Amino acid sequence: MSDLTDAPRGPVVERVPAGDERLRLVCDDCGFIAYENPKIIVGAVVTHGDRYLLARRAIEPRKGFWTIPAGFMELNETAEAGAAREVWEEARARVTVGPLLGVYSLTHISQVHLIYRAEMIDADHAAGPESLEVALLTWDEIPWDDLAFPSVVWALEAQRRSVGRSDFAPEGAPERPHRPE
């Protein structure tokens, strides 16, 4: 190739590829199709006795607000291993990951959240690099007005409804999100 005009351009043309039904970015030079898919978030509602482990975010979005440990799933890990990793990264706590608690499909941000129940192995915890602080809180101490995302509320409420039960199905996002008093 003699100059940049002859260089491959990559997937820059938007069109519906043969056999597809959606607009995709396609490379006219080689036919490569750039598929964009939702991101998977994994996390856990972590408990130690009657307390819930929450972390106050040190990063955007929602810096300074409280959340359950959760984040993007990595390549080559199971969802359960990702949830345990996120707990360690954000709250420096070791956990036993239990059953799937909630599956939240958030189409407006192209994410699917897989949230598990998890029990702390011991009471040790500390702020990780993405957290300003972490705390073990009773239900009544949870800072409901300062939670980072609606999915945090949904997961905490799902955990509360499932306490003492092993025969529950994962919950989805409520049609009208709210927090019962």
Side-chain angles (χ1 to χ4, degrees):
M1 291 183 208
S2 58
D3 61 41
L4 291 178
T5 59
D6 295 332
R9 294 174 301 218
V12 296
V13 178
E14 192 175 63
R15 69 167 178 265
V16 178
D20 205 335
E21 297 175 354
R22 296 178 182 260
L23 283 175
R24 311 280 185 188
L25 288 177
V26 178
C27 177
D28 277 343
D29 295 316
C30 69
F32 177 81
I33 302 168
Y35 292 96
E36 291 186 3
N37 303 104
K39 297 289 186 181
I40 299 173
I41 305 297
V42 290
V45 174
V46 179
T47 57
H48 185 69
D50 67 344
R51 297 184 175 269
Y52 297 83
L53 182 67
L54 295 181
R56 197 157 64 92
R57 294 177 61 80
I59 59 172
E60 293 295 348
R62 308 286 288 159
K63 181 177 178 179
F65 286 82
W66 291 89
T67 188
I68 59 173
F72 293 108
M73 186 172 168
E74 298 289 348
L75 296 176
N76 303 311
E77 74 179 353
T78 66
E80 295 88 349
R85 176 185 48 75
E86 286 293 336
V87 172
W88 175 253
E89 287 178 0
E90 295 181 13
R92 294 298 189 239
R94 298 282 182 200
V95 295
T96 301
V97 175
L100 185 62
L101 185 63
V103 177
Y104 308 122
S105 296
L106 306 178
T107 58
H108 64 288
I109 54 174
S110 297
Q111 293 180 356
V112 176
H113 294 208
L114 303 175
I115 306 300
Y116 291 85
R117 288 189 349 189
E119 291 282 333
M120 292 175 68
I121 293 171
D122 54 41
D124 293 342
H125 62 282
E130 296 180 0
S131 301
L132 296 170
E133 64 181 304
V134 293
L136 278 170
L137 305 170
T138 66
W139 184 259
D140 292 334
E141 294 171 331
I142 293 173
W144 295 102
D145 292 335
D146 292 323
L147 295 179
F149 309 106
S151 58
V152 174
V153 175
W154 305 335
L156 287 167
E157 291 175 346
Q159 166 63 23
R160 184 145 169 116
R161 286 188 293 273
S162 73
V163 169
R165 296 181 53 207
S166 60
D167 64 338
F168 63 91
E171 297 187 10
E175 289 185 32
R176 292 185 347 191
H178 69 284
R179 188 180 76 80
E181 296 304 316

